[in-house]
Amino acid sequence: MLKLYDYLPSQNGFKIRLLLQHLGQPYQHVPVAIFQGESRTPEFLEKNPVGAIPVLEPQPGVYIAESNAILCYLAEGTAYLPSERLARARVMQWLFFEQYYVEPTIGTLRFWVLTGKVKANEVLAAAKRSAGERALDALERHLSRHPFLANDSYSIADIAVFAYGHLAAEGHFDLAARPAFVRWIERVKGQSEKLPPIYPYTPDAMA
Ligand SMILES: N[C@@H](CCC(=O)N[C@@H](CS)C(=O)NCC(=O)O)C(=O)O
């Protein structure tokens, strides 16, 4: 059975949980206490040299790290990742966008807000806020003309951007002026009968 090494409050992990739910794929969830150093042990660094979750173990002793690489692996051969060259490149476009413009900006700011760490990261936080605003402006511009991010159909690109993007307000980003983005959030939610839960950060994340 597939194993997913994961920390439940991670929205990078959420991406994988959402796709596995869509695929009806059973898996074993292996919790990793990242704020207690469990992702930095020699044993875990063998699985992912950078020491972060999520990590997928599709067969014993075989590991894939990086949430969006895991999404691609799992979505291969399904409608969530088209095989035609251009259509696939458009999905990739938004997966790379997510890793550069969304996760390290909106995702990190949300983490700092929820764990009381904005003040300690004041200078970096300002840069992340303007980069996050730019990402939301780009999403608003694109989604005012398209129902989904790539090829006008729901794909792992939407799953990846949705993970941290739909929680941007928790990072104190203003979504009121971004109606197309808000409508897209509802459209993505509508792809599942029930989304996987969102978990609050654990007390060890506040230290
Ligand atoms: N680009 C990576 C980021 C992974 C990442 O930052 N994971 C965090 C949790 S959201 C983590 O495990 N941090 C633990 C650490 O860095 O020690 C991905 O998309 O999978």
Side-chain angles (χ1 to χ4, degrees):
M1 184 184 294
L2 291 179
K3 271 191 193 173
L4 178 63
Y5 297 84
D6 192 6
Y7 166 68
L8 285 173
S10 166
Q11 289 301 105
N12 284 316
F14 171 93
K15 296 172 190 173
I16 317 302
R17 284 173 248 136
L18 175 54
L19 179 59
L20 287 166
Q21 178 177 299
H22 284 319
L23 297 173
Q25 170 78 58
Y27 64 101
Q28 183 187 341
H29 189 267
V30 184
V32 180
I34 57 173
F35 293 104
Q36 292 170 41
E38 283 185 13
S39 60
R40 303 295 179 96
T41 62
E43 195 195 9
F44 197 85
L45 290 168
E46 287 288 314
K47 300 175 175 50
N48 178 7
V50 82
I53 59 86
V55 171
L56 186 77
E57 186 174 1
Q59 46 184 283
V62 173
Y63 303 102
I64 309 167
E66 291 297 324
S67 57
N68 291 354
I70 298 170
L71 290 180
C72 290
Y73 174 83
L74 291 170
E76 187 67 45
T78 75
Y80 301 106
L81 177 61
S83 56
E84 192 274 322
R85 188 178 184 181
L86 179 59
R88 195 178 182 94
R90 286 186 168 139
V91 172
M92 295 294 171
Q93 173 186 337
W94 291 103
L95 293 178
F96 291 119
F97 169 89
E98 188 271 341
Q99 284 289 290
Y100 190 80
Y101 292 101
V102 176
E103 193 264 1
T105 62
I106 296 169
T108 301
L109 264 180
R110 170 179 175 264
F111 171 66
W112 286 344
V113 168
L114 295 179
T115 57
K117 292 178 176 161
V118 176
K119 193 102 189 101
N121 293 286
E122 220 163 24
V123 175
L124 271 178
K128 285 183 182 290
R129 181 153 307 283
S130 66
E133 295 288 353
R134 182 181 173 196
L136 290 171
D137 287 344
L139 287 163
E140 179 65 20
R141 212 170 282 129
H142 186 74
L143 291 166
S144 63
R145 291 166 42 235
H146 299 278
F148 293 106
L149 288 172
N151 311 301
D152 291 347
S153 72
Y154 181 62
S155 73
I156 54 173
D158 300 288
I159 292 175
V161 174
F162 176 81
Y164 285 104
H166 86 287
L167 300 175
E170 293 182 357
H172 298 163
F173 287 93
D174 182 11
L175 297 188
R178 287 155 174 144
F181 181 65
V182 171
R183 283 195 301 273
W184 168 82
I185 289 173
E186 292 311 311
R187 215 171 288 130
V188 171
K189 286 183 180 169
Q191 302 299 307
S192 310
E193 245 171 55
K194 191 168 183 275
L195 285 174
I198 311 277
Y199 294 88
Y201 282 105
T202 46
D204 55 9
M206 317 289 168

